[in-house]
Each structure stands twice: as C-alpha cells, then as structure tokens.
Amino acid sequence: MMLSTKPKIELSGDIEKIDAITEQLCEFAKPYQSRCIVILDPFISVLEDKIIQFFYKKFKITQVKIKHPSVLAWQRPLLLALNLKDTFERDVLRYTIDQALSELNPQNLCKNGTRHYSGWVFTHSNIQNIAEDFAYLSLQKIYKTNQLLRFYDPAVLPQLLTILNTQLQIKLLGHIEIWTLLDGNGDLFYRHNDQPSMVYTGQLGITKQLEQEINCIGINNQFLKKYRKTHPLEKINECESLNKIKPCLLRLMSRGFTDNALLVEWAKVAYMWGKDFDLHPYVQNKIQNMKTRFDFTTLLNKINSPDWQIILNQDLSEQKNK
C-alpha cells in the first residue's frame, strides 16, 4: 500500500512573529493533550491548498454542515484537529499562522476579501460536537426565519463579543474553552470561556436592537477595509472603531435608512469627527427632511471636507444673524 507523502511546508512571512504566536498557541494547547483545532473558511472562494488537501485525503477534515441557502456545500467552514506533539503537525500550525498573516495584507483584503484561516480553538470536546455547535449557532431564528450568523469569521467574533451580554457570550463560545484568532492588525486575540456550555441550544434570542447592532459590525468591517488600504501602517482596534461608529449608525437606521453605501460613508464620518457628530443641530437640521441616500450627497461632501469645522461655524454664525 502506497503511503501519501507529506507536503513540504514553506513559510513566507515574519518567522519571528510566526514562531511567537506558535509558542503561545502551543501553551494554550497543553491542557488539551496538545490538540488545536484550526477553523478554515472557504466562504468567499475555494480553499485550494496542498497542505489542506493532504489532510482531506487523510480524512482529518470535518465539515460544518450549515443548512442555509446562501451557503453552498463548498462554502461550509472546515475544522482540522492538529496534534502539536507531532513535529509535522506543529509545522502545519506555523503554516496556518503564516497564511493568516499574509491574508491580512490590506492590498490582499481589498483585492478579494478572502480570509481562509479563521482561527484556532481549544476544547476538551470532540471535533464533531464543535462542528454541530457551529452549525446550530450559524442559523439564528429572527422573525421566524433562519438567518446566517458568520460568528466564526475573525472579523466578526471579537466585535460580536463586545455587543453580547455575559450570558450570550458564554453561549456563543459553547464548548470552546479558548478561542484565538488574528485581529486586523495581525495581533493575536484570545478569549477564555470560564463556563463552557454543557447544555447547548444554539439560539441567542436576537432582538431587533441586537440585529441592528450586529449589522453595524458589517458596516464597520467594510469601512475599515477601505480605510486600511490608504492607512496601511495605522493600528486600529476594530472593537473600539465599532463603539465609535455604532451610535450614529443606529440613529440613522432608526430613521429608516438602511442603504449600505450611505451607512459606510456615515461610519467614515463618525470615525473622523466622533460618534455624536450627527447630533449637532446643523446636521440634525439637514437630515430632517432627507428621504433617500442621494439626498445626503451635499451634506457628506461638506462634512468630508478637511475644513468642515470652519464651515460649520460659519453656517451657525449665519443662522444666528438671520
């Protein structure tokens, strides 16, 4: 019987950083018999990787069977359990870290938005249970319909945790005891779950308010994707950015404006001028009678001007003198 040859592992990134993250993940893995579960996400594009294909052939890849019409079979998340006591599999861990760092390059993100290597989790539960947890959690019942919640996306999870209360955070993490991923800066984010769920229903009970807050995560990510392209060296805390833009986004949504392009522009202005920029009497007066996103063009052009504060003071002075 012919044995399959292990593929050669080559790294292209910052070896020192890769090794530092690897060591930290290996430390996390020790209480779990040195097992680490890698989350892989082919949602945007097919994951064509010789390393992953090797494990496919070994039947060591577990598919998360999300039953939602927007997720085709090839788009379902994949879970790969690595034994970090094994030299080759530890090198595979280093490879996944290298790939995850490479995917975070702002130019790469703007080109295709792909982040296949989503994170590394640690648990005493078996991998099939984790796959089932993911499948249940991904389908959230809102207004009697199943809606897709891509909570395992590294661009979503940290922000989602800041929105959820403590009880829902525990439910979201489920049987996972340590969840790690790379944030948008390429730094390791990790969250410990001190109360891994023993009884698991998968439903978070998402209200209208919570749904709108979750929608703000998507707007924040779209804004940051554009922003990082022109500010590649700036370190940005995605959760802080969300907290900064969320109040004005929710207020605009409450007026019935849900157009994606407008909300992304509104987020950019909030990031630049502050979370309550829209509460200024001048802005409030301008948006009072606006009906569509096209009505905002003149206002947005003025606010996006570097001299907006000067223009604003001039307009207020003119109003007082009338």
Side-chain angles (χ1 to χ4, degrees):
M1 180 178 178
M2 184 178 293
L3 297 175
S4 57
T5 305
K6 292 178 180 177
K8 184 179 180 181
I9 295 175
E10 297 177 332
L11 307 180
S12 59
D14 182 339
I15 299 299
E16 186 175 338
K17 183 168 188 176
I18 293 167
D19 285 343
I21 295 173
T22 300
E23 287 302 318
Q24 195 162 359
L25 295 184
C26 287
E27 281 299 312
F28 284 145
K30 283 181 179 177
Y32 306 95
Q33 293 78 47
S34 291
R35 186 186 68 158
C36 169
I37 298 176
V38 185
I39 305 171
L40 303 163
D41 184 11
F43 185 72
I44 302 296
S45 63
V46 177
L47 181 53
E48 297 176 332
D49 187 302
K50 63 181 181 180
I51 308 295
I52 304 306
Q53 289 302 318
F54 171 80
F55 285 101
Y56 255 123
K57 293 174 182 177
K58 292 283 188 179
F59 301 102
K60 295 187 71 173
I61 298 282
T62 301
Q63 186 185 68
V64 177
K65 295 180 180 178
I66 297 175
K67 297 178 180 179
H68 190 276
S70 67
V71 184
L72 302 177
W74 66 266
Q75 295 177 303
R76 292 169 176 171
L78 308 171
L79 303 178
L80 167 62
L82 296 176
N83 174 13
L84 302 185
K85 293 177 183 177
D86 180 273
T87 303
F88 172 72
E89 295 197 11
R90 182 172 170 139
D91 283 344
V92 172
L93 173 65
R94 294 175 75 233
Y95 173 78
T96 64
I97 295 167
D98 179 49
Q99 292 297 303
L101 287 168
S102 174
E103 289 176 343
L104 281 169
N105 181 296
Q107 300 304 321
N108 290 343
L109 280 179
C110 285
K111 183 179 179 181
N112 54 27
T114 297
R115 289 186 70 177
H116 286 137
Y117 301 83
S118 294
W120 307 269
V121 298
F122 306 89
T123 175
H124 288 294
S125 187
N126 67 57
I127 197 167
Q128 192 57 48
N129 284 345
I130 299 303
E132 290 174 3
D133 286 354
F134 273 38
Y136 287 129
L137 255 180
S138 297
L139 298 177
Q140 291 297 315
K141 201 168 286 292
I142 306 175
Y143 314 124
K144 298 181 180 180
T145 62
N146 282 331
Q147 297 193 27
L148 181 65
L149 178 65
R150 285 176 37 80
F151 67 96
Y152 47 85
D153 185 329
V156 172
L157 181 71
Q159 297 178 64
L160 184 56
L161 290 172
T162 67
I163 289 174
L164 301 179
N165 61 36
T166 302
Q167 184 179 2
L168 290 182
Q169 289 177 31
I170 292 170
K171 191 173 237 187
L172 182 76
L173 295 173
H175 294 102
I176 291 171
E177 294 171 51
I178 305 175
W179 194 312
T180 69
L181 53 87
L182 296 184
D183 66 16
N185 300 315
D187 296 327
L188 188 67
F189 166 94
Y190 58 91
R191 176 61 64 91
H192 288 264
N193 180 13
D194 296 326
Q195 301 178 53
S197 301
M198 300 308 293
V199 178
Y200 193 77
T201 65
Q203 289 302 307
L204 300 176
I206 296 176
T207 61
K208 179 66 175 178
Q209 172 70 17
L210 182 53
E211 182 191 23
Q212 290 187 333
E213 292 190 50
I214 291 172
N215 288 341
C216 289
I217 296 175
I219 299 300
N220 188 42
N221 286 335
Q222 290 174 64
F223 154 67
L224 289 178
K225 183 177 176 181
K226 292 182 178 180
Y227 186 84
R228 281 191 166 109
K229 187 177 182 181
T230 54
H231 302 78
L233 300 179
E234 184 177 334
K235 283 219 166 191
I236 303 168
N237 184 305
E238 290 137 337
C239 296
E240 290 178 3
S241 172
L242 176 67
N243 289 332
K244 189 172 185 179
I245 69 171
K246 187 173 65 171
C248 72
L249 288 177
L250 291 175
R251 285 191 287 268
L252 195 60
M253 289 177 186
S254 71
R255 290 175 176 265
F257 292 97
T258 57
D259 182 88
N260 194 71
L262 172 60
L263 293 173
V264 172
E265 278 297 309
W266 214 239
K268 183 176 79 171
V269 176
Y271 192 81
M272 180 168 54
W273 293 116
K275 65 181 181 180
D276 292 332
F277 83 94
D278 62 313
L279 294 181
H280 195 285
Y282 173 80
V283 179
Q284 285 286 306
N285 182 59
K286 290 293 184 182
I287 66 176
Q288 195 70 36
N289 298 315
M290 292 185 179
K291 303 297 183 185
T292 72
R293 73 177 175 94
F294 302 104
D295 298 328
F296 284 79
T297 303
T298 302
L299 176 62
L300 285 169
N301 287 340
K302 184 173 283 191
I303 294 175
N304 280 318
S305 164
D307 299 323
W308 180 64
Q309 291 288 6
I310 298 173
I311 297 170
L312 179 63
N313 291 334
Q314 289 174 343
D315 286 336
L316 286 176
S317 297
E318 291 172 3
Q319 288 181 21
K320 288 179 181 179
N321 293 330
K322 284 183 180 179

